Amino acid sequence: MSTNDASAPWQATVLTLYPEMFPGPLGVSLSGDALDRGAWALTARNIRGHGLGRHRSVDDTPAGGGAGMVLRCDVLAAAIDAASGPGDPRPRLLMSPRGRPLTQERVRALAAGPGLVVVCGRFEGVDERVIAGRGLEEVSIGDYVLSGGEIAAMVLIDACVRLLPGVMGKEASGVEESFENGRLEYPHYTRPRDWEGRAIPEVLTGGNHAAIARWRADEALRLTRERRPDLLDRA
């Protein structure tokens, strides 16, 4: 399927040493249903298919010495070129703990595009030259280190897919969530009305929609101040 086709679904291509990890969680629930319906497409490509020699080597020792191994630039570049040609408009992302933190704003922008190409690193990292040579944008999902980029790629793709048209049951459910308006989401309640001595706030059961909206806005602001004041500073 051509990524230049305007009628094509949102398309994610993942470059990994472990393609068997996909679709994984992306194959169930909202993203899985949407994948089955053809609302988006997923391809997992094995970087080792472009490895060198009889053993399909993909890594080598770090220049200057040090522990671990590094993904080779020539091998990874060949994998990227095979998956994403010169006319491919999709951004090329590298999941990396040193990347820019992923935000809901960035997710929304990616979901509005034609899809993405995601490189999943392993070992000690990726040769810096392929990052520059193939225009990879480094993206982080948090200040911690994983064994590889696959789980991070799943997080990124899931965040994007749920925003695609028709994936979520109610479009409004995505508008009022955490981070959409620079605030954390307000608390939710459902039946039973009283549970272990804890009652649903009375304002939510009174039917006054204006009062409910004010309560939710106030609670969102309160939680943000308590837990993520940096969001308010950013706003």
Side-chain angles (χ1 to χ4, degrees):
M1 181 179 298
S2 170
T3 54
N4 293 317
D5 182 358
S7 64
W10 192 88
Q11 190 169 21
T13 298
V14 179
L15 302 180
T16 171
L17 291 174
Y18 299 97
E20 63 272 20
M21 292 179 69
F22 294 86
L26 298 172
V28 298
S29 190
L30 287 176
S31 58
D33 291 342
L35 187 62
D36 290 341
R37 290 188 283 105
W40 69 290
L42 173 66
T43 303
R45 301 175 65 108
N46 197 335
I47 296 171
R48 199 171 294 279
H50 300 272
L52 306 177
R54 185 176 64 181
H55 299 293
R56 295 291 186 181
S57 177
V58 298
D59 58 342
D60 211 329
T61 55
M69 303 291 280
V70 176
L71 274 173
R72 293 177 57 116
C73 54
D74 49 358
V75 171
L76 188 51
I80 294 170
D81 292 345
S84 175
D88 192 337
R90 296 175 296 168
R92 297 170 173 179
L93 311 179
L94 170 64
M95 306 313 298
S96 165
R98 73 177 195 180
R100 287 193 177 91
L102 184 64
T103 65
Q104 189 66 16
E105 180 181 14
R106 184 65 178 127
V107 166
R108 189 166 286 282
L110 291 170
L116 43 81
V117 177
V118 190
V119 177
C120 301
R122 280 275 163 176
F123 314 122
E124 287 301 309
V126 170
D127 189 309
E128 190 72 19
R129 292 170 293 178
V130 74
I131 298 175
R134 292 300 180 268
L136 301 182
E137 174 191 343
E138 295 184 73
V139 178
S140 170
I141 64 166
D143 294 341
Y144 45 85
V145 179
L146 300 171
S147 300
E150 287 78 12
I151 293 175
M154 292 176 190
V155 169
L156 169 62
I157 294 170
D158 180 83
C160 292
V161 167
R162 62 191 301 277
L163 296 182
L164 299 179
V167 173
M168 283 191 287
K170 293 183 178 180
E171 296 301 325
S173 65
V175 174
E176 297 184 354
E177 291 177 327
S178 292
F179 310 114
E180 285 292 350
N181 299 301
R183 304 284 189 275
L184 298 181
E185 194 172 6
Y186 52 79
H188 292 280
Y189 299 87
T190 187
R191 290 184 289 240
R193 186 161 182 164
D194 290 283
W195 177 76
E196 293 189 352
R198 303 171 188 268
I200 295 175
E202 191 171 334
V203 64
L204 298 179
T205 62
N208 185 329
H209 296 292
I212 291 172
R214 287 193 299 271
W215 180 88
R216 287 175 170 171
D218 290 344
E219 285 295 295
L221 182 58
R222 177 185 65 80
L223 287 173
T224 306
R225 281 174 175 159
E226 290 177 358
R227 302 178 184 181
R228 291 293 305 276
D230 60 294
L231 294 176
L232 299 177
D233 294 340
R234 195 180 309 165

PDB file of all heavy atoms in Angstrom, residues 184 187 218-230 232:
ATOM      1  N   LEU A 184      -4.894  17.893  34.187  1.00  0.00           N
ATOM      2  CA  LEU A 184      -5.223  16.488  34.392  1.00  0.00           C
ATOM      3  C   LEU A 184      -6.731  16.331  34.383  1.00  0.00           C
ATOM      4  O   LEU A 184      -7.474  17.289  34.623  1.00  0.00           O
ATOM      5  CB  LEU A 184      -4.650  15.996  35.729  1.00  0.00           C
ATOM      6  CG  LEU A 184      -3.128  16.035  35.866  1.00  0.00           C
ATOM      7  CD1 LEU A 184      -2.723  15.484  37.228  1.00  0.00           C
ATOM      8  CD2 LEU A 184      -2.438  15.266  34.750  1.00  0.00           C
ATOM      9  N   PRO A 187     -12.063  13.747  38.408  1.00  0.00           N
ATOM     10  CA  PRO A 187     -12.436  12.413  38.894  1.00  0.00           C
ATOM     11  C   PRO A 187     -13.733  11.907  38.244  1.00  0.00           C
ATOM     12  O   PRO A 187     -14.597  12.696  37.862  1.00  0.00           O
ATOM     13  CB  PRO A 187     -12.648  12.628  40.398  1.00  0.00           C
ATOM     14  CG  PRO A 187     -11.948  13.894  40.718  1.00  0.00           C
ATOM     15  CD  PRO A 187     -12.047  14.742  39.494  1.00  0.00           C
ATOM     16  N   ASP A 218     -13.032  22.762  38.186  1.00  0.00           N
ATOM     17  CA  ASP A 218     -12.347  23.037  39.447  1.00  0.00           C
ATOM     18  C   ASP A 218     -11.532  21.831  39.911  1.00  0.00           C
ATOM     19  O   ASP A 218     -10.403  21.976  40.409  1.00  0.00           O
ATOM     20  CB  ASP A 218     -13.354  23.416  40.536  1.00  0.00           C
ATOM     21  CG  ASP A 218     -13.979  24.786  40.309  1.00  0.00           C
ATOM     22  OD1 ASP A 218     -13.423  25.564  39.504  1.00  0.00           O
ATOM     23  OD2 ASP A 218     -15.037  25.069  40.923  1.00  0.00           O
ATOM     24  N   GLU A 219     -12.108  20.649  39.780  1.00  0.00           N
ATOM     25  CA  GLU A 219     -11.406  19.440  40.200  1.00  0.00           C
ATOM     26  C   GLU A 219     -10.189  19.166  39.315  1.00  0.00           C
ATOM     27  O   GLU A 219      -9.134  18.731  39.797  1.00  0.00           O
ATOM     28  CB  GLU A 219     -12.354  18.236  40.168  1.00  0.00           C
ATOM     29  CG  GLU A 219     -13.343  18.214  41.313  1.00  0.00           C
ATOM     30  CD  GLU A 219     -12.636  18.047  42.648  1.00  0.00           C
ATOM     31  OE1 GLU A 219     -12.029  16.989  42.872  1.00  0.00           O
ATOM     32  OE2 GLU A 219     -12.677  18.998  43.466  1.00  0.00           O
ATOM     33  N   ALA A 220     -10.327  19.410  38.026  1.00  0.00           N
ATOM     34  CA  ALA A 220      -9.192  19.230  37.119  1.00  0.00           C
ATOM     35  C   ALA A 220      -8.051  20.165  37.506  1.00  0.00           C
ATOM     36  O   ALA A 220      -6.875  19.768  37.532  1.00  0.00           O
ATOM     37  CB  ALA A 220      -9.622  19.485  35.682  1.00  0.00           C
ATOM     38  N   LEU A 221      -8.388  21.402  37.835  1.00  0.00           N
ATOM     39  CA  LEU A 221      -7.380  22.370  38.238  1.00  0.00           C
ATOM     40  C   LEU A 221      -6.741  21.970  39.565  1.00  0.00           C
ATOM     41  O   LEU A 221      -5.515  22.050  39.742  1.00  0.00           O
ATOM     42  CB  LEU A 221      -8.004  23.760  38.341  1.00  0.00           C
ATOM     43  CG  LEU A 221      -7.058  24.912  38.706  1.00  0.00           C
ATOM     44  CD1 LEU A 221      -5.930  25.018  37.697  1.00  0.00           C
ATOM     45  CD2 LEU A 221      -7.838  26.218  38.795  1.00  0.00           C
ATOM     46  N   ARG A 222      -7.565  21.491  40.512  1.00  0.00           N
ATOM     47  CA  ARG A 222      -7.045  21.080  41.819  1.00  0.00           C
ATOM     48  C   ARG A 222      -6.063  19.927  41.673  1.00  0.00           C
ATOM     49  O   ARG A 222      -4.958  19.957  42.241  1.00  0.00           O
ATOM     50  CB  ARG A 222      -8.201  20.663  42.735  1.00  0.00           C
ATOM     51  CG  ARG A 222      -7.746  20.136  44.102  1.00  0.00           C
ATOM     52  CD  ARG A 222      -8.916  19.630  44.921  1.00  0.00           C
ATOM     53  NE  ARG A 222      -9.566  18.471  44.326  1.00  0.00           N
ATOM     54  CZ  ARG A 222      -9.108  17.215  44.434  1.00  0.00           C
ATOM     55  NH1 ARG A 222      -7.986  16.965  45.095  1.00  0.00           N
ATOM     56  NH2 ARG A 222      -9.769  16.214  43.875  1.00  0.00           N
ATOM     57  N   LEU A 223      -6.434  18.915  40.914  1.00  0.00           N
ATOM     58  CA  LEU A 223      -5.555  17.762  40.740  1.00  0.00           C
ATOM     59  C   LEU A 223      -4.262  18.141  40.028  1.00  0.00           C
ATOM     60  O   LEU A 223      -3.184  17.633  40.354  1.00  0.00           O
ATOM     61  CB  LEU A 223      -6.287  16.672  39.951  1.00  0.00           C
ATOM     62  CG  LEU A 223      -7.390  15.925  40.718  1.00  0.00           C
ATOM     63  CD1 LEU A 223      -8.142  15.009  39.777  1.00  0.00           C
ATOM     64  CD2 LEU A 223      -6.787  15.129  41.868  1.00  0.00           C
ATOM     65  N   THR A 224      -4.369  19.031  39.067  1.00  0.00           N
ATOM     66  CA  THR A 224      -3.177  19.454  38.337  1.00  0.00           C
ATOM     67  C   THR A 224      -2.228  20.212  39.254  1.00  0.00           C
ATOM     68  O   THR A 224      -1.005  20.007  39.206  1.00  0.00           O
ATOM     69  CB  THR A 224      -3.563  20.324  37.130  1.00  0.00           C
ATOM     70  OG1 THR A 224      -4.519  19.622  36.320  1.00  0.00           O
ATOM     71  CG2 THR A 224      -2.348  20.650  36.277  1.00  0.00           C
ATOM     72  N   ARG A 225      -2.776  21.089  40.094  1.00  0.00           N
ATOM     73  CA  ARG A 225      -1.933  21.816  41.046  1.00  0.00           C
ATOM     74  C   ARG A 225      -1.232  20.870  42.006  1.00  0.00           C
ATOM     75  O   ARG A 225      -0.063  21.062  42.360  1.00  0.00           O
ATOM     76  CB  ARG A 225      -2.786  22.814  41.830  1.00  0.00           C
ATOM     77  CG  ARG A 225      -3.107  24.089  41.058  1.00  0.00           C
ATOM     78  CD  ARG A 225      -4.060  24.955  41.849  1.00  0.00           C
ATOM     79  NE  ARG A 225      -4.288  26.239  41.198  1.00  0.00           N
ATOM     80  CZ  ARG A 225      -5.350  27.011  41.424  1.00  0.00           C
ATOM     81  NH1 ARG A 225      -6.274  26.626  42.296  1.00  0.00           N
ATOM     82  NH2 ARG A 225      -5.467  28.163  40.790  1.00  0.00           N
ATOM     83  N   GLU A 226      -1.950  19.826  42.448  1.00  0.00           N
ATOM     84  CA  GLU A 226      -1.394  18.903  43.425  1.00  0.00           C
ATOM     85  C   GLU A 226      -0.354  17.967  42.819  1.00  0.00           C
ATOM     86  O   GLU A 226       0.668  17.673  43.447  1.00  0.00           O
ATOM     87  CB  GLU A 226      -2.518  18.065  44.043  1.00  0.00           C
ATOM     88  CG  GLU A 226      -3.462  18.834  44.955  1.00  0.00           C
ATOM     89  CD  GLU A 226      -4.594  17.956  45.463  1.00  0.00           C
ATOM     90  OE1 GLU A 226      -4.641  16.766  45.071  1.00  0.00           O
ATOM     91  OE2 GLU A 226      -5.428  18.455  46.246  1.00  0.00           O
ATOM     92  N   ARG A 227      -0.628  17.488  41.601  1.00  0.00           N
ATOM     93  CA  ARG A 227       0.175  16.403  41.057  1.00  0.00           C
ATOM     94  C   ARG A 227       1.110  16.809  39.923  1.00  0.00           C
ATOM     95  O   ARG A 227       2.179  16.219  39.773  1.00  0.00           O
ATOM     96  CB  ARG A 227      -0.750  15.284  40.559  1.00  0.00           C
ATOM     97  CG  ARG A 227      -1.652  14.740  41.652  1.00  0.00           C
ATOM     98  CD  ARG A 227      -2.575  13.674  41.118  1.00  0.00           C
ATOM     99  NE  ARG A 227      -3.519  13.214  42.132  1.00  0.00           N
ATOM    100  CZ  ARG A 227      -4.428  12.266  41.936  1.00  0.00           C
ATOM    101  NH1 ARG A 227      -4.521  11.670  40.748  1.00  0.00           N
ATOM    102  NH2 ARG A 227      -5.256  11.913  42.919  1.00  0.00           N
ATOM    103  N   ARG A 228       0.712  17.770  39.107  1.00  0.00           N
ATOM    104  CA  ARG A 228       1.531  18.176  37.968  1.00  0.00           C
ATOM    105  C   ARG A 228       1.527  19.682  37.794  1.00  0.00           C
ATOM    106  O   ARG A 228       1.075  20.212  36.773  1.00  0.00           O
ATOM    107  CB  ARG A 228       1.001  17.505  36.694  1.00  0.00           C
ATOM    108  CG  ARG A 228       1.202  16.002  36.622  1.00  0.00           C
ATOM    109  CD  ARG A 228       2.687  15.633  36.512  1.00  0.00           C
ATOM    110  NE  ARG A 228       3.341  16.277  35.397  1.00  0.00           N
ATOM    111  CZ  ARG A 228       3.313  15.812  34.141  1.00  0.00           C
ATOM    112  NH1 ARG A 228       2.662  14.692  33.871  1.00  0.00           N
ATOM    113  NH2 ARG A 228       3.943  16.454  33.185  1.00  0.00           N
ATOM    114  N   PRO A 229       2.056  20.426  38.778  1.00  0.00           N
ATOM    115  CA  PRO A 229       2.075  21.886  38.639  1.00  0.00           C
ATOM    116  C   PRO A 229       2.890  22.357  37.442  1.00  0.00           C
ATOM    117  O   PRO A 229       2.690  23.481  36.967  1.00  0.00           O
ATOM    118  CB  PRO A 229       2.702  22.341  39.964  1.00  0.00           C
ATOM    119  CG  PRO A 229       3.448  21.152  40.474  1.00  0.00           C
ATOM    120  CD  PRO A 229       2.651  19.984  40.036  1.00  0.00           C
ATOM    121  N   ASP A 230       3.782  21.504  36.936  1.00  0.00           N
ATOM    122  CA  ASP A 230       4.561  21.880  35.765  1.00  0.00           C
ATOM    123  C   ASP A 230       3.684  22.124  34.544  1.00  0.00           C
ATOM    124  O   ASP A 230       4.029  22.917  33.663  1.00  0.00           O
ATOM    125  CB  ASP A 230       5.593  20.795  35.454  1.00  0.00           C
ATOM    126  CG  ASP A 230       4.954  19.452  35.159  1.00  0.00           C
ATOM    127  OD1 ASP A 230       4.339  18.878  36.088  1.00  0.00           O
ATOM    128  OD2 ASP A 230       5.045  18.966  34.028  1.00  0.00           O
ATOM    129  N   LEU A 232       0.770  23.575  34.576  1.00  0.00           N
ATOM    130  CA  LEU A 232       0.248  24.939  34.702  1.00  0.00           C
ATOM    131  C   LEU A 232       1.333  25.960  34.357  1.00  0.00           C
ATOM    132  O   LEU A 232       1.048  26.973  33.712  1.00  0.00           O
ATOM    133  CB  LEU A 232      -0.264  25.184  36.136  1.00  0.00           C
ATOM    134  CG  LEU A 232      -1.398  24.267  36.578  1.00  0.00           C
ATOM    135  CD1 LEU A 232      -1.759  24.560  38.029  1.00  0.00           C
ATOM    136  CD2 LEU A 232      -2.626  24.456  35.689  1.00  0.00           C
TER     137      LEU A 232
END
